[in-house]
Amino acid sequence: MHIITTISEMHDIVMDAHAERVGIGFVPTMGSLHGGHAELIKLSSMRHSLTVVSVFVNPLQFGPSEDFGSYPRNLDADVRMIRDHGGTHVFAPSAEEMYPQGFATSIHIEGIAKVLEGASRPGHFDGVATVVCKLFNTVMPTEAFFGQKDYQQTLVVRQMVADLAMPIAINVVPTVREPDGLAKSSRNAYLNVEERNRATSLFRALSGAKKFISNQVTPLQGRKTISRSEIEAEMLSALQDVRIEYAVAVDANTLESRDFYYSGEKIALLIAAFAGTTRLIDNIVTDIV
Ligand code: AMP
């Protein structure tokens, strides 16, 4: 297992790999790794003999009142987890290595980056895009792996990769959940027992709304029509004892909110809610058939 902390060392390794036509899989993370990250690493290592996992808590993507300072960090445990799931290289730079004195560039994304998480967390996606761009330029991957858990982030990354013609395949991996449905997250460690119980209502709300959609009857010779307000009401009724920031049914490709959705369309059900002081997000993407 190679642990790399500088961009120049990483460049030496990946340039050699490209010269030998070895594909590079890349899994960007903020560390505090769990079973969700493990799936991404496993998949990458099945597809590429060289898998780089970055561990970097990116200050640019946290707001001033968010948890940058208290975000869980444990590089030793992360390195073990990466090795056990087939990762070959860990890239764990310091903040100074990524953002040295005089760093002055930012990637700014409009459109899909402005709504939902983008509206709740101003500057968040610019911070994500800037670090992902720099990590891509450092690791030069053939294929990068992201979790569906952060659904809007996957759209933002795809937008950047398309707009800036980055020659990198983006692979989105299904959300890994606890047995009771709670999406695995590094931030789950903040939850006390009672908050942990309340947190399960996010998945209940999402799966209830998905069932609601599939139970709607398709009219004879017609297209199924489902009203957004009904789907969202279904979610709200299941979200108990959490403080809801948003619970929406939107077009899965554009994140646009429409009054009605029809057969053949793909919609994303997206929730952000607080259990105590911990902000949780989750989603399900579903086809209307
Ligand atoms: P993070 O360390 O939270 O920035 O996450 C790093 C990557 O792991 C992101 O692409 C996340 O979407 C992904 N990820 C986090 N949690 C999960 C999960 N429960 N299932 C699948 N992927 C996840």
Side-chain angles (χ1 to χ4, degrees), residues 27-40 54 56 61 71 145-151 153-154 171 173-178 182-188:
V27 181
T29 82
M30 296 205 300
S32 186
L33 302 183
H34 50 67
H37 300 108
E39 271 316 294
L40 274 62
S54 63
F56 179 62
Q61 71 190 68
Y71 197 84
F145 297 79
F146 291 85
Q148 191 194 315
K149 158 79 170 41
D150 298 280
Y151 182 71
Q153 173 172 278
T154 66
N171 194 323
V173 180
T175 303
V176 178
R177 300 180 177 282
E178 302 289 355
L182 178 67
K184 286 186 185 269
S185 164
S186 309
R187 290 190 169 101
N188 291 351

Side-chain angles (χ1 to χ4, degrees), residues 250-280:
V250 294
D251 181 293
N253 298 312
T254 62
L255 301 184
E256 277 162 7
S257 187
R258 292 197 292 276
D259 287 345
F260 294 96
Y261 300 105
Y262 301 96
S263 318
E265 294 183 335
K266 193 184 271 280
I267 61 176
L269 309 172
L270 298 160
I271 296 175
F274 284 88
T277 55
T278 303
R279 188 172 183 279
L280 303 166

Side-chain angles (χ1 to χ4, degrees), residues 140-182:
M140 297 187 211
T142 328
E143 183 172 35
F145 297 79
F146 291 85
Q148 191 194 315
K149 158 79 170 41
D150 298 280
Y151 182 71
Q152 193 175 0
Q153 173 172 278
T154 66
L155 297 185
V156 168
V157 170
R158 283 191 196 283
Q159 178 89 47
M160 175 181 74
V161 164
D163 288 351
L164 301 183
M166 297 175 167
I168 299 167
I170 302 300
N171 194 323
V172 175
V173 180
T175 303
V176 178
R177 300 180 177 282
E178 302 289 355
D180 62 6
L182 178 67

Side-chain angles (χ1 to χ4, degrees), residues 10-11 14 18 26-28 54 91 98 128-146 157-158 160-161 166-171:
M10 198 71 243
H11 273 164
V14 298
H18 282 299
F26 178 44
V27 181
S54 63
F91 179 55
M98 291 298 280
V128 168
T130 303
V131 79
V132 170
C133 178
K134 184 154 188 170
L135 290 167
F136 280 178
N137 286 334
T138 303
V139 175
M140 297 187 211
T142 328
E143 183 172 35
F145 297 79
F146 291 85
V157 170
R158 283 191 196 283
M160 175 181 74
V161 164
M166 297 175 167
I168 299 167
I170 302 300
N171 194 323

Side-chain angles (χ1 to χ4, degrees), residues 84-140:
D84 291 350
H85 292 89
T88 54
H89 296 73
V90 181
F91 179 55
S94 65
E96 295 71 37
E97 179 72 7
M98 291 298 280
Y99 305 122
Q101 195 78 37
F103 184 90
T105 302
S106 173
I107 303 265
H108 174 70
I109 298 179
E110 285 290 326
I112 45 154
K114 304 301 277 184
V115 298
L116 302 171
E117 287 300 281
S120 295
R121 306 179 67 190
H124 170 68
F125 283 127
D126 288 357
V128 168
T130 303
V131 79
V132 170
C133 178
K134 184 154 188 170
L135 290 167
F136 280 178
N137 286 334
T138 303
V139 175
M140 297 187 211

